[in-house]
Coordinates of all heavy atoms in Angstrom, one line a residue:
M1 N 0.8 -1.2 0.0 CA 0.0 0.0 0.0 C 0.9 1.3 0.0 O 0.6 2.2 -0.7 CB -0.9 -0.1 1.2 CG -1.9 1.1 1.4 SD -3.0 1.0 0.0 CE -4.0 2.4 0.4
K2 N 1.9 1.3 0.9 CA 2.8 2.4 0.9 C 3.6 2.6 -0.4 O 3.8 3.7 -0.8 CB 3.7 2.3 2.1 CG 3.1 2.5 3.5 CD 4.1 2.4 4.6 CE 3.4 2.4 5.9 NZ 4.4 2.4 7.0
L3 N 3.9 1.4 -0.9 CA 4.7 1.5 -2.2 C 3.9 2.0 -3.3 O 4.3 2.8 -4.1 CB 5.2 0.1 -2.5 CG 6.1 0.0 -3.8 CD1 7.3 0.8 -3.6 CD2 6.4 -1.5 -4.0
S4 N 2.6 1.6 -3.4 CA 1.7 2.1 -4.5 C 1.4 3.6 -4.3 O 1.4 4.3 -5.3 CB 0.5 1.2 -4.5 OG -0.3 1.4 -3.3
A5 N 1.3 4.0 -3.0 CA 1.0 5.5 -2.8 C 2.3 6.3 -3.2 O 2.2 7.4 -3.8 CB 0.7 5.7 -1.3
A6 N 3.5 5.7 -2.9 CA 4.7 6.4 -3.3 C 4.9 6.5 -4.8 O 5.3 7.5 -5.4 CB 5.9 5.7 -2.6
I7 N 4.5 5.4 -5.5 CA 4.6 5.4 -6.9 C 3.6 6.3 -7.6 O 4.0 7.1 -8.5 CB 4.4 3.9 -7.5 CG1 5.6 3.1 -7.0 CG2 4.3 3.9 -9.0 CD1 5.4 1.6 -7.4
I8 N 2.4 6.4 -7.1 CA 1.4 7.3 -7.6 C 1.8 8.7 -7.4 O 1.7 9.6 -8.3 CB 0.0 7.0 -7.0 CG1 -0.5 5.7 -7.5 CG2 -1.0 8.1 -7.3 CD1 -1.8 5.2 -6.8
T9 N 2.4 9.0 -6.2 CA 2.8 10.4 -5.9 C 4.0 10.8 -6.8 O 4.1 11.9 -7.3 CB 3.3 10.5 -4.4 OG1 2.2 10.1 -3.6 CG2 3.7 11.9 -4.1
L10 N 4.9 9.8 -7.1 CA 6.0 10.1 -7.9 C 5.6 10.3 -9.4 O 6.0 11.2 -10.0 CB 7.0 8.9 -7.9 CG 8.2 9.0 -8.7 CD1 9.1 10.1 -8.2 CD2 9.0 7.7 -8.7
L11 N 4.6 9.5 -9.9 CA 4.1 9.7 -11.2 C 3.4 11.0 -11.4 O 3.5 11.7 -12.4 CB 3.3 8.5 -11.6 CG 4.0 7.1 -11.8 CD1 3.0 6.0 -12.1 CD2 5.0 7.3 -12.9
A12 N 2.6 11.3 -10.4 CA 1.8 12.6 -10.5 C 2.7 13.8 -10.5 O 2.5 14.8 -11.2 CB 0.8 12.6 -9.3
G13 N 3.8 13.7 -9.7 CA 4.7 14.8 -9.6 C 5.5 15.0 -10.9 O 5.7 16.1 -11.4
S14 N 5.9 13.9 -11.5 CA 6.6 14.0 -12.7 C 5.7 14.4 -13.9 O 6.2 15.1 -14.8 CB 7.3 12.6 -13.0 OG 6.4 11.6 -13.2
A15 N 4.5 14.0 -13.9 CA 3.5 14.4 -14.9 C 3.3 15.9 -14.8 O 3.2 16.6 -15.8 CB 2.2 13.7 -14.8
A16 N 3.2 16.4 -13.6 CA 3.0 17.9 -13.4 C 4.2 18.7 -13.8 O 4.0 19.8 -14.2 CB 2.6 18.2 -11.9
A17 N 5.3 18.1 -13.8 CA 6.6 18.8 -14.2 C 6.6 19.1 -15.7 O 7.2 20.1 -16.1 CB 7.8 18.0 -13.8
F18 N 5.9 18.3 -16.5 CA 5.9 18.5 -17.9 C 4.6 19.1 -18.4 O 4.3 19.1 -19.6 CB 6.2 17.1 -18.6 CG 7.5 16.6 -18.3 CD1 7.7 15.5 -17.4 CD2 8.6 17.2 -18.9 CE1 9.0 15.1 -17.2 CE2 9.9 16.7 -18.6 CZ 10.1 15.6 -17.7
A19 N 3.7 19.5 -17.5 CA 2.5 20.1 -17.9 C 2.8 21.5 -18.5 O 3.7 22.2 -18.1 CB 1.5 20.2 -16.7
P20 N 1.9 22.0 -19.4 CA 2.2 23.3 -20.0 C 2.0 24.4 -18.9 O 1.2 24.3 -18.0 CB 1.1 23.5 -21.1 CG 0.2 22.4 -20.9 CD 0.8 21.3 -20.0
A21 N 2.7 25.5 -19.0 CA 2.6 26.6 -18.1 C 1.3 27.3 -18.1 O 0.8 27.8 -17.1 CB 3.8 27.5 -18.3
M22 N 0.8 27.5 -19.4 CA -0.5 28.1 -19.6 C -1.5 27.1 -20.0 O -1.2 26.2 -20.8 CB -0.4 29.2 -20.7 CG 0.3 30.4 -20.2 SD 0.3 31.9 -21.2 CE -0.3 31.7 -22.7
P23 N -2.8 27.3 -19.5 CA -3.8 26.4 -20.0 C -4.0 26.6 -21.5 O -3.8 27.6 -22.1 CB -5.1 26.8 -19.3 CG -4.6 27.7 -18.2 CD -3.2 28.2 -18.5
S24 N -4.4 25.5 -22.2 CA -4.5 25.6 -23.7 C -5.6 26.6 -24.1 O -5.5 27.2 -25.2 CB -4.9 24.2 -24.2 OG -6.1 23.7 -23.7
A25 N -6.6 26.9 -23.3 CA -7.6 27.8 -23.6 C -7.0 29.2 -23.7 O -7.4 30.1 -24.6 CB -8.8 27.8 -22.6
A26 N -6.1 29.5 -22.8 CA -5.5 30.8 -22.8 C -4.6 31.0 -24.0 O -4.5 32.1 -24.6 CB -4.7 31.0 -21.5
V27 N -4.0 29.9 -24.4 CA -3.1 30.0 -25.6 C -4.0 30.3 -26.9 O -3.6 31.1 -27.7 CB -2.3 28.7 -25.8 CG1 -1.6 28.7 -27.1 CG2 -1.4 28.5 -24.6
R28 N -5.1 29.6 -26.9 CA -6.0 29.8 -28.1 C -6.5 31.2 -28.2 O -6.6 31.8 -29.2 CB -7.1 28.8 -28.1 CG -6.8 27.5 -28.7 CD -8.0 26.6 -28.8 NE -7.8 25.5 -27.9 CZ -8.6 25.2 -26.9 NH1 -9.7 25.8 -26.8 NH2 -8.3 24.2 -26.1
T29 N -6.9 31.8 -27.1 CA -7.4 33.2 -27.1 C -6.4 34.2 -27.5 O -6.6 35.1 -28.2 CB -8.1 33.6 -25.8 OG1 -7.2 33.4 -24.7 CG2 -9.3 32.7 -25.5
S30 N -5.1 34.0 -27.0 CA -4.1 35.0 -27.3 C -3.6 34.8 -28.7 O -3.2 35.8 -29.3 CB -2.9 34.8 -26.3 OG -2.3 33.6 -26.5
S31 N -3.7 33.6 -29.3 CA -3.2 33.5 -30.6 C -4.3 33.8 -31.7 O -4.0 33.9 -32.8 CB -2.7 32.0 -30.9 OG -3.8 31.1 -30.7
S32 N -5.5 34.0 -31.2 CA -6.6 34.4 -32.1 C -6.5 35.9 -32.5 O -7.1 36.3 -33.5 CB -7.9 34.1 -31.5 OG -8.2 35.0 -30.4
I33 N -5.7 36.7 -31.8 CA -5.5 38.1 -32.2 C -4.5 38.1 -33.4 O -3.4 37.7 -33.3 CB -4.9 38.9 -31.0 CG1 -5.8 38.8 -29.8 CG2 -4.6 40.3 -31.4 CD1 -5.2 39.4 -28.6
Q34 N -5.0 38.6 -34.5 CA -4.3 38.6 -35.7 C -3.4 39.8 -35.8 O -3.8 40.9 -35.6 CB -5.2 38.6 -36.9 CG -6.1 37.4 -37.0 CD -5.3 36.2 -37.3 OE1 -4.3 36.2 -38.0 NE2 -5.7 35.0 -36.7
Q35 N -2.1 39.6 -36.1 CA -1.1 40.6 -36.3 C -0.5 40.4 -37.7 O -0.3 39.2 -38.1 CB -0.1 40.6 -35.2 CG -0.7 41.0 -33.8 CD 0.4 41.1 -32.8 OE1 1.6 41.0 -33.1 NE2 0.0 41.3 -31.6
P36 N -0.1 41.5 -38.3 CA 0.5 41.3 -39.6 C 1.8 40.5 -39.5 O 2.6 40.7 -38.6 CB 0.8 42.7 -40.1 CG 0.6 43.6 -39.0 CD -0.2 42.8 -37.9
T37 N 2.0 39.6 -40.4 CA 3.2 38.8 -40.4 C 4.2 39.4 -41.3 O 3.9 39.7 -42.5 CB 2.8 37.3 -40.9 OG1 1.8 36.8 -40.1 CG2 4.0 36.4 -40.9
V38 N 5.4 39.5 -40.8 CA 6.5 40.1 -41.6 C 6.8 39.2 -42.8 O 7.2 39.7 -43.9 CB 7.7 40.4 -40.7 CG1 8.9 40.9 -41.6 CG2 7.3 41.4 -39.6
M39 N 6.7 37.9 -42.6 CA 7.1 37.0 -43.6 C 6.3 37.2 -44.9 O 6.8 37.0 -46.0 CB 6.9 35.6 -43.1 CG 7.4 34.5 -44.0 SD 7.4 32.9 -43.2 CE 5.7 32.5 -43.0
F40 N 5.0 37.5 -44.8 CA 4.2 37.7 -46.0 C 4.0 39.1 -46.4 O 3.2 39.4 -47.3 CB 2.8 37.1 -45.7 CG 2.9 35.6 -45.5 CD1 2.6 35.0 -44.3 CD2 3.3 34.7 -46.5 CE1 2.6 33.7 -44.0 CE2 3.4 33.4 -46.3 CZ 3.1 32.8 -45.1
A41 N 4.6 40.1 -45.7 CA 4.5 41.5 -46.1 C 5.3 41.7 -47.4 O 6.2 41.0 -47.7 CB 5.1 42.3 -45.0
E42 N 4.9 42.8 -48.1 CA 5.6 43.1 -49.3 C 7.0 43.6 -49.0 O 7.2 44.4 -48.0 CB 4.8 44.3 -50.0 CG 3.5 43.8 -50.6 CD 3.7 42.8 -51.7 OE1 4.6 43.0 -52.5 OE2 2.9 41.9 -51.8
P43 N 8.0 43.2 -49.7 CA 9.4 43.6 -49.4 C 9.5 45.1 -49.7 O 9.0 45.6 -50.7 CB 10.3 42.8 -50.3 CG 9.4 42.3 -51.4 CD 8.0 42.2 -50.8
K44 N 10.2 45.8 -48.9 CA 10.4 47.3 -49.1 C 11.6 47.5 -50.0 O 12.6 46.8 -49.8 CB 10.6 48.0 -47.8 CG 9.4 48.0 -46.9 CD 9.6 48.8 -45.6 CE 8.4 48.8 -44.8 NZ 8.7 49.5 -43.5
E45 N 11.5 48.4 -50.9 CA 12.6 48.7 -51.8 C 13.5 49.6 -51.0 O 13.2 50.6 -50.5 CB 12.2 49.4 -53.0 CG 11.3 48.5 -54.0 CD 12.2 47.4 -54.6 OE1 13.4 47.7 -54.9 OE2 11.6 46.3 -54.9
E46 N 14.8 49.2 -50.8 CA 15.7 50.0 -50.1 C 16.9 50.2 -51.1 O 17.3 49.4 -51.8 CB 16.3 49.2 -48.9 CG 15.3 49.0 -47.8 CD 15.9 48.3 -46.6 OE1 17.1 48.3 -46.5 OE2 15.1 47.7 -45.8
E47 N 17.3 51.5 -51.0 CA 18.4 51.8 -51.9 C 19.7 51.5 -51.1 O 19.8 51.8 -49.9 CB 18.4 53.2 -52.4 CG 17.9 54.3 -51.4 CD 18.0 55.6 -52.0 OE1 19.1 56.2 -52.1 OE2 16.9 56.2 -52.4
G48 N 20.6 50.8 -51.7 CA 21.8 50.4 -51.0 C 23.0 51.2 -51.6 O 22.8 51.9 -52.6
L49 N 24.1 51.1 -51.0 CA 25.2 51.8 -51.4 C 26.0 51.0 -52.5 O 26.7 51.5 -53.3 CB 26.2 52.1 -50.3 CG 25.6 53.1 -49.2 CD1 26.5 53.2 -48.1 CD2 25.2 54.4 -49.9
D50 N 25.8 49.7 -52.5 CA 26.4 48.8 -53.4 C 27.9 49.0 -53.5 O 28.5 49.4 -54.6 CB 25.8 48.9 -54.8 CG 26.1 47.7 -55.7 OD1 26.4 46.6 -55.1 OD2 26.2 47.9 -56.9
L51 N 28.6 48.9 -52.4 CA 30.0 49.1 -52.3 C 30.8 47.8 -52.4 O 30.4 46.8 -51.9 CB 30.4 49.7 -51.0 CG 29.7 51.1 -50.6 CD1 30.1 51.5 -49.2 CD2 30.1 52.1 -51.6
D52 N 31.9 47.8 -53.1 CA 32.8 46.6 -53.1 C 33.6 46.7 -51.9 O 33.6 47.6 -51.1 CB 33.6 46.5 -54.4 CG 34.6 47.7 -54.6 OD1 34.9 48.3 -53.6 OD2 35.0 47.9 -55.7
L53 N 34.5 45.7 -51.7 CA 35.2 45.5 -50.5 C 36.2 46.7 -50.3 O 36.3 47.2 -49.1 CB 36.0 44.2 -50.5 CG 36.7 43.8 -49.2 CD1 35.7 43.7 -48.1 CD2 37.5 42.5 -49.4
G54 N 36.9 47.1 -51.3 CA 37.8 48.3 -51.2 C 37.1 49.5 -50.8 O 37.5 50.3 -49.9
E55 N 35.9 49.8 -51.4 CA 35.1 50.9 -51.1 C 34.6 50.9 -49.6 O 34.6 51.9 -48.9 CB 33.9 51.1 -52.0 CG 34.3 51.4 -53.4 CD 33.2 51.3 -54.4 OE1 32.2 50.6 -54.1 OE2 33.3 51.9 -55.5
M56 N 34.3 49.7 -49.1 CA 33.8 49.5 -47.8 C 34.9 49.9 -46.8 O 34.7 50.7 -45.8 CB 33.4 48.1 -47.5 CG 32.0 47.8 -48.0 SD 31.5 46.2 -47.4 CE 31.4 45.3 -48.9
F57 N 36.2 49.5 -47.1 CA 37.3 49.8 -46.2 C 37.6 51.3 -46.3 O 37.9 51.9 -45.2 CB 38.5 49.0 -46.6 CG 38.5 47.6 -46.0 CD1 38.4 46.5 -46.9 CD2 38.6 47.4 -44.7 CE1 38.4 45.2 -46.3 CE2 38.6 46.1 -44.1 CZ 38.5 45.0 -45.0
D58 N 37.4 51.9 -47.4 CA 37.6 53.4 -47.5 C 36.5 54.1 -46.7 O 36.8 55.1 -46.0 CB 37.5 53.9 -49.0 CG 38.6 53.4 -49.8 OD1 39.7 53.0 -49.2 OD2 38.5 53.4 -51.1
M59 N 35.3 53.6 -46.6 CA 34.3 54.2 -45.8 C 34.6 54.0 -44.3 O 34.3 54.9 -43.5 CB 32.9 53.6 -46.2 CG 32.3 54.0 -47.5 SD 32.1 55.8 -47.6 CE 30.8 56.1 -46.4
F60 N 35.1 52.8 -44.0 CA 35.4 52.5 -42.6 C 36.5 53.5 -42.1 O 36.5 54.0 -41.0 CB 35.9 51.1 -42.4 CG 34.8 50.1 -42.5 CD1 35.1 48.9 -43.1 CD2 33.5 50.3 -42.1 CE1 34.1 47.9 -43.3 CE2 32.5 49.4 -42.3 CZ 32.8 48.2 -42.8
D61 N 37.5 53.7 -43.0 CA 38.6 54.6 -42.7 C 38.1 56.0 -42.5 O 38.5 56.8 -41.6 CB 39.7 54.6 -43.8 CG 40.5 53.3 -43.8 OD1 40.5 52.6 -42.8 OD2 41.0 53.0 -44.9
A62 N 37.2 56.5 -43.4 CA 36.6 57.8 -43.3 C 35.8 57.9 -42.0 O 35.8 59.0 -41.3 CB 35.7 58.1 -44.5
A63 N 35.1 56.9 -41.6 CA 34.3 56.9 -40.4 C 35.3 57.0 -39.2 O 35.0 57.7 -38.2 CB 33.4 55.7 -40.2
D64 N 36.4 56.3 -39.2 CA 37.4 56.4 -38.1 C 37.9 57.8 -38.0 O 38.2 58.2 -36.9 CB 38.5 55.4 -38.4 CG 38.1 53.9 -38.1 OD1 37.0 53.7 -37.4 OD2 38.7 53.0 -38.6
K65 N 38.1 58.4 -39.1 CA 38.6 59.8 -39.1 C 37.6 60.8 -38.7 O 37.9 62.0 -38.5 CB 39.2 60.1 -40.5 CG 40.5 59.3 -40.8 CD 40.9 59.6 -42.2 CE 42.0 58.7 -42.6 NZ 42.4 58.9 -44.1
G66 N 36.3 60.4 -38.7 CA 35.2 61.3 -38.3 C 34.7 62.2 -39.5 O 34.1 63.2 -39.3
E67 N 35.0 61.8 -40.7 CA 34.6 62.5 -41.9 C 33.0 62.4 -42.0 O 32.4 61.5 -41.6 CB 35.2 62.0 -43.1 CG 36.7 62.3 -43.2 CD 37.3 61.8 -44.5 OE1 36.6 61.6 -45.5 OE2 38.6 61.6 -44.5
D68 N 32.5 63.4 -42.7 CA 31.0 63.4 -43.0 C 30.7 62.3 -43.9 O 31.4 62.0 -44.9 CB 30.6 64.8 -43.6 CG 29.2 64.9 -43.9 OD1 28.4 64.5 -43.0 OD2 28.8 65.2 -45.0
F69 N 29.6 61.6 -43.7 CA 29.2 60.4 -44.5 C 29.0 60.8 -45.9 O 29.5 60.1 -46.8 CB 28.0 59.8 -43.9 CG 27.5 58.6 -44.7 CD1 28.1 57.3 -44.5 CD2 26.5 58.7 -45.6 CE1 27.7 56.3 -45.3 CE2 26.0 57.6 -46.3 CZ 26.6 56.4 -46.2
D70 N 28.2 61.8 -46.2 CA 27.9 62.1 -47.6 C 29.1 62.5 -48.4 O 29.3 62.2 -49.5 CB 26.8 63.3 -47.6 CG 25.5 62.8 -47.0 OD1 25.1 61.7 -47.2 OD2 24.8 63.7 -46.4
K71 N 30.0 63.3 -47.7 CA 31.2 63.7 -48.4 C 32.1 62.5 -48.7 O 32.7 62.3 -49.8 CB 32.0 64.7 -47.5 CG 33.3 65.2 -48.1 CD 34.0 66.1 -47.1 CE 35.4 66.5 -47.6 NZ 36.1 67.2 -46.7
A72 N 32.2 61.6 -47.7 CA 33.0 60.4 -47.9 C 32.5 59.5 -49.0 O 33.3 58.9 -49.8 CB 33.1 59.6 -46.5
I73 N 31.2 59.3 -49.0 CA 30.6 58.4 -50.1 C 30.8 59.0 -51.5 O 31.1 58.2 -52.4 CB 29.1 58.1 -49.8 CG1 28.7 56.9 -50.6 CG2 28.2 59.2 -50.1 CD1 29.3 55.6 -50.2
K74 N 30.8 60.3 -51.6 CA 31.0 60.9 -52.9 C 32.5 60.7 -53.3 O 32.7 60.4 -54.5 CB 30.7 62.4 -52.8 CG 29.2 62.7 -52.8 CD 28.9 64.2 -52.7 CE 27.4 64.4 -52.6 NZ 27.1 65.9 -52.4
E75 N 33.4 60.8 -52.3 CA 34.8 60.6 -52.7 C 35.1 59.2 -53.0 O 35.8 58.9 -54.0 CB 35.7 61.1 -51.5 CG 35.7 62.6 -51.2 CD 36.5 62.9 -50.0 OE1 37.2 62.0 -49.4 OE2 36.5 64.1 -49.6
V76 N 34.5 58.3 -52.3 CA 34.7 56.9 -52.6 C 34.1 56.5 -54.0 O 34.8 55.8 -54.7 CB 34.0 56.0 -51.5 CG1 34.0 54.5 -51.9 CG2 34.8 56.1 -50.2
K77 N 33.0 57.0 -54.3 CA 32.4 56.7 -55.6 C 33.1 57.3 -56.8 O 33.1 56.9 -57.9 CB 30.9 57.1 -55.6 CG 30.0 56.1 -54.8 CD 30.0 54.7 -55.5 CE 29.1 53.8 -54.8 NZ 29.1 52.5 -55.5
K78 N 33.8 58.5 -56.5 CA 34.6 59.2 -57.6 C 35.8 58.4 -57.9 O 36.2 58.3 -59.1 CB 35.0 60.6 -57.1 CG 33.9 61.6 -57.1 CD 34.5 62.9 -56.7 CE 33.4 64.0 -56.6 NZ 33.9 65.2 -56.0
E79 N 36.4 57.7 -56.9 CA 37.6 57.0 -57.2 C 37.4 55.8 -58.1 O 38.3 55.3 -58.7 CB 38.2 56.4 -55.8 CG 38.7 57.5 -54.9 CD 39.1 57.0 -53.6 OE1 39.0 55.8 -53.3 OE2 39.4 57.8 -52.7
K80 N 36.2 55.3 -58.2 CA 35.9 54.2 -59.0 C 36.0 54.5 -60.5 O 36.6 54.5 -61.3 CB 34.5 53.7 -58.7 CG 34.1 52.3 -59.2 CD 32.8 52.0 -58.7 CE 32.5 50.5 -59.0 NZ 31.2 50.1 -58.6

């Protein structure tokens, strides 16, 4: 009798350890709120600088020296 009570207590305790933290009803109500998904959103057109490796290093050097970004990018693109 004591052994079966100990086994039942052990099994109940281990089953409770793997139970979900939130009840499934709470999960369903919170997931029913629809929010826009980034995955299916239209991609935004972004203009890039399209720099090669050498131009990138030139921009890093200009940033280290504290030069103005717009001035530095014009100088880097002129060198090409």
Side-chain angles (χ1 to χ4, degrees):
M1 181 66 179
K2 289 181 184 180
L3 181 61
S4 62
I7 292 173
I8 290 173
T9 305
L10 181 64
L11 291 176
S14 62
F18 296 104
M22 282 189 353
S24 60
V27 173
R28 271 187 251 124
T29 57
S30 66
S31 64
S32 65
I33 299 171
Q34 297 293 324
Q35 294 185 4
T37 305
V38 175
M39 189 169 69
F40 297 113
E42 291 294 320
K44 293 181 180 178
E45 292 290 327
E46 295 183 18
E47 37 178 286
L49 297 176
D50 195 29
L51 302 174
D52 64 19
L53 188 60
E55 293 170 337
M56 281 188 243
F57 280 114
D58 291 341
M59 288 301 294
F60 292 143
D61 291 338
D64 286 340
K65 294 175 187 174
E67 293 181 20
D68 182 49
F69 176 80
D70 293 327
K71 181 182 172 188
I73 195 69
K74 286 178 185 176
E75 289 177 8
V76 168
K77 284 297 185 179
K78 282 182 188 176
E79 293 174 3
K80 199 174 187 184

